[in-house]
Amino acid sequence: MAPFQIQRQYSYVDDNSEKDLGSDDESDFEIDSNVSGTELQELRQELKRLEPKKVQRELADATLALQKMYMERWERYDSILLCIPFSKVSWDPIEQLKKCQTKAFMLFFVWYHKTHPRAKRLNTYESIWKGLRQLFYDQTRKVINADVGKLISNWLHGKFCDDNGLIRGMRQKHVIGHQGLYGALYYHWKFNTEIFPLERERVQLAAVLLFLAYTGSRPGAIIESGCTGSRGTNAALLYKDVKLRLLRPPGEEPLLILEVTIRLDKGKRKRPQPEIFSFLELISDTDILKGKP
């Protein structure tokens, strides 16, 4: 709409004529009377070209992998329907999905529960329903009918959950805090009497504890094959992600700092500036007693 509003501010002006457009007090635009009609027409075409257009959001690799997984599950479920003796119609997975039939979605969840007995939490099926809605949108470029979506959601939270004894709510995840991390490191360096085959493993264990804290206990942030998701690559922490710096504070001993860039952390892969964490050198046992890293 903005280009059309601007167009009403302009008027065609012939090459050999002028038109009074009013004083500066009457208009916010000041037009050169020597501008030709052809130039104004070109300006209008340029404004139309600059109109904002809908751009499809680029999906992350993890999202594409999830969509592929949901599509495989839907096709596997659809292949079961083909084996039903009384089914005389040839079923096409995509066409069946596009029909957006409530009973087809319900039967899918019943089939999934029977084939995946370990899925005992309601939020698991909520995530699957969200994935099916996204899959439907990718195939049709339309949103699932609001009545169908509400009916399936109510059915999942009501009858389906009660009949199958699903656990409501999110599973509690125990994450170590800064005090717990400090206590683990304090014990490791001060009181741990365990003998390591190589003493450098003692230092490596302390680094592992720090990495667990920095990445939220996600091994996939260090090497992708350590996570359960299938992204199709084997990206990992590289030497270019590690920088060793030597600081020389005035009147103090030199201090080594190891800076580690975490590029593969969950939800942060496409950030222009990844997070950088610093590992400080332990100089002496007194640093622990003073509360230094």
Side-chain angles (χ1 to χ4, degrees):
M1 295 178 64
F4 293 99
Q5 293 175 358
I6 296 177
Q7 287 178 16
R8 289 196 291 269
Q9 304 287 347
Y10 289 97
S11 299
Y12 281 106
V13 180
D14 297 333
D15 294 340
N16 299 324
S17 64
E18 295 182 358
K19 186 174 182 178
D20 185 12
L21 297 177
S23 62
D24 294 340
D25 297 335
E26 298 175 356
S27 176
D28 295 333
F29 295 91
E30 184 176 351
I31 307 301
D32 187 0
S33 60
N34 295 324
V35 177
S36 65
T38 303
E39 293 174 338
L40 288 177
Q41 185 66 22
E42 293 177 353
L43 177 60
R44 288 186 173 88
Q45 296 295 333
E46 182 67 16
L47 289 175
K48 290 182 179 180
R49 189 183 66 84
L50 295 176
E51 285 184 0
K53 299 180 180 179
K54 293 184 178 180
V55 180
Q56 185 178 358
R57 182 170 61 93
E58 183 179 357
L59 301 178
D61 295 338
T63 304
L64 295 175
L66 282 175
Q67 290 182 0
K68 181 180 178 181
M69 180 184 65
Y70 286 128
M71 190 64 205
E72 292 175 351
R73 288 177 178 177
W74 181 262
E75 291 177 347
R76 196 180 310 129
Y77 152 74
D78 198 79
S79 64
I80 300 298
L81 295 180
L82 291 174
C83 299
I84 298 179
F86 56 80
S87 178
K88 300 180 181 180
V89 183
S90 178
W91 292 65
D92 180 21
I94 303 299
E95 293 300 325
Q96 182 66 21
L97 180 66
K98 291 180 179 180
K99 290 180 181 179
C100 192
Q101 295 179 342
T102 305
K103 292 184 178 180
F105 290 129
M106 290 181 175
L107 185 58
F108 172 82
F109 285 108
V110 173
W111 165 81
Y112 187 87
H113 181 265
K114 291 183 177 181
T115 55
H116 298 76
R118 296 182 61 184
K120 297 183 179 297
R121 291 192 171 271
L122 178 61
N123 64 314
T124 301
Y125 295 91
E126 291 176 344
S127 300
I128 295 175
W129 176 230
K130 182 179 179 181
L132 288 178
R133 293 165 73 105
Q134 179 64 37
L135 186 62
F136 178 84
Y137 178 80
D138 293 337
Q139 297 296 331
T140 62
R141 290 301 166 188
K142 295 180 181 179
V143 181
I144 281 184
N145 184 277
D147 295 335
V148 175
K150 185 176 181 180
L151 182 61
I152 295 296
S153 297
N154 293 337
W155 176 74
L156 285 175
H157 288 79
K159 182 176 176 56
F160 182 78
C161 180
D162 297 337
D163 292 347
N164 298 284
L166 301 181
I167 303 175
R168 301 177 184 269
M170 300 292 292
R171 181 177 58 183
Q172 185 178 3
K173 298 180 180 179
H174 301 280
V175 181
I176 188 172
H178 66 282
Q179 293 181 348
L181 176 64
Y182 175 78
L185 291 173
Y186 184 85
Y187 173 83
H188 174 70
W189 288 112
K190 189 66 178 178
F191 301 107
N192 189 9
T193 58
E194 184 177 356
I195 299 176
F196 292 86
L198 297 175
E199 273 304 309
R200 68 179 181 182
E201 294 180 0
R202 190 184 306 274
V203 181
Q204 292 172 349
L205 179 57
V208 168
L209 293 175
L210 291 174
F211 272 117
L212 289 176
Y214 293 157
T215 62
S217 300
R218 296 187 179 94
I222 307 302
I223 179 168
E224 193 178 75
S225 60
C227 63
T228 56
S230 55
R231 299 177 183 271
T233 64
N234 197 29
L237 190 71
L238 305 176
Y239 280 112
K240 68 176 183 180
D241 301 322
V242 180
K243 293 183 180 180
L244 186 63
R245 301 184 184 275
L246 177 62
L247 301 183
R248 297 181 180 274
E252 298 183 9
E253 298 182 16
L255 179 64
L256 284 175
I257 297 180
L258 185 67
E259 293 182 351
V260 181
T261 302
I262 305 296
R263 298 178 293 104
L264 306 177
D265 204 1
K266 182 179 180 180
K268 303 175 183 178
R269 290 171 173 259
K270 291 191 175 183
R271 287 190 177 183
Q273 295 181 349
E275 290 185 297
I276 301 177
F277 298 95
S278 299
F279 294 76
L280 303 182
E281 180 187 17
L282 182 66
I283 299 178
S284 63
D285 294 340
T286 57
D287 292 337
I288 296 180
L289 298 177
K290 292 179 182 179
K292 294 184 180 181

